[in-house]
Amino acid sequence: SEQGTVIDARQVLLTASTSEAYSFSFKLIADAGDRILLPQPSYPLLEHLTRAEALTGVPYPLHYAAGEWLLDRDAIARSWDSRTRGIVLVEPNNPTGNWLSPDDHDWLVE
């Protein structure tokens, strides 16, 4: 684009669906037996997609409080171990429609 970032077409991967995109992403970051943290509630196929890649999907809860959905930071910290390779964040989340709060975003970045 005129003002945007130029990306070489060889760096772009098009998929037929989000499920296929998740599958490629999981293959990129994890090996069989590794763990991926999955939000609950969320897209119902995430658990199936991790199993299809021989990964363990570990749920972490989202809590609704004061009009917004928040990460359960303690549950995430307790769930993370040496075999954890990633955390799935869906924005907007399906089915809640929530976005990651700025505070939760900052906490994850740290």
Side-chain angles (χ1 to χ4, degrees), residues 7 13 15-16 18 24 39 42 46 48 60 67 71 85 91 97 100 106 109:
I7 298 175
L13 174 65
T15 63
T18 55
F24 282 125
S42 192
L46 289 173
H48 169 75
Y60 68 88
L71 299 178
R85 297 296 178 255
E91 294 188 291
L100 193 62
D106 292 346
V109 169

Side-chain angles (χ1 to χ4, degrees), residues 29-37 55-56 58 76-86:
I29 66 170
D31 295 318
D34 287 340
R35 297 159 32 106
I36 303 291
L37 302 186
L55 303 172
T56 300
V58 179
I76 292 170
R78 282 191 310 273
S79 297
W80 201 279
D81 68 15
S82 64
R83 294 299 305 260
T84 305
R85 297 296 178 255

Side-chain angles (χ1 to χ4, degrees), residues 68 70-71 73 76 89 91 99-110:
E68 66 180 332
L70 302 171
L71 299 178
R73 297 176 188 184
I76 292 170
L89 302 164
E91 294 188 291
W99 291 83
L100 193 62
S101 76
D103 287 343
D104 280 343
H105 173 270
D106 292 346
W107 179 80
L108 283 170
V109 169
E110 287 179 25

